[in-house]
Amino acid sequence: LKGDGSGEKAEIELWLVPPGADPPEVTQTELSEGISKSEKVITNPNAPYIFSSEYYDGIAGCGNNNELDLEGYAQTLKDNPKSRGNIFILLLSKAEFRQKEREILSYLTKKRIVRKRLKTFYVKTYGWAELWILP
């Protein structure tokens, strides 16, 4: 993330690094009193990250932003056979959790993702779901 200090102009670079590859050398620019200073920022491509999330906010018609990207998740796990998936399902009832869990796991196993690579977690709260990748 780079900026001019005013909060009005910012640039973001996204790096996709395959598991096992060396992290890129990233330079972060800090602006202080009009003088630019650079320093190396170490990134960790092997850290777990949220691949997709879904929020049940009760607002109809919010489009694809509220849907899990199960297709992309399955493909990412296929492309990275050493990676695992953690699936967090946050719903108020255990019955709702089990139903959502069955739907997600059914889809992923049909896409030939081995079940032992996936872990599900139940959290009793207002609903959403998150798909995590663990490289």
Side-chain angles (χ1 to χ4, degrees), residues 10-11 13 26 47 49 53 60 62 65 67 77 79 89-91 100 102 106 111 118 128 132 134-135:
E11 294 178 19
E13 289 184 16
V26 181
Y49 62 93
S53 62
C62 286
N65 293 337
E67 296 177 14
L77 288 170
D79 292 344
I89 303 171
L90 298 86
L91 291 168
K100 187 73 173 176
R102 276 191 303 273
S106 174
K111 293 292 183 176
L118 304 168
W128 73 83
W132 283 72
L134 285 74

Side-chain angles (χ1 to χ4, degrees), residues 15-24 42-50 80 82-86 132-135:
W15 294 73
L16 298 175
V17 180
D22 291 332
I42 308 269
T43 59
N44 185 357
N46 299 318
Y49 62 93
I50 296 175
N80 300 283
K82 292 184 179 181
S83 294
R84 293 170 288 128
N86 282 354
W132 283 72
I133 298 284
L134 285 74

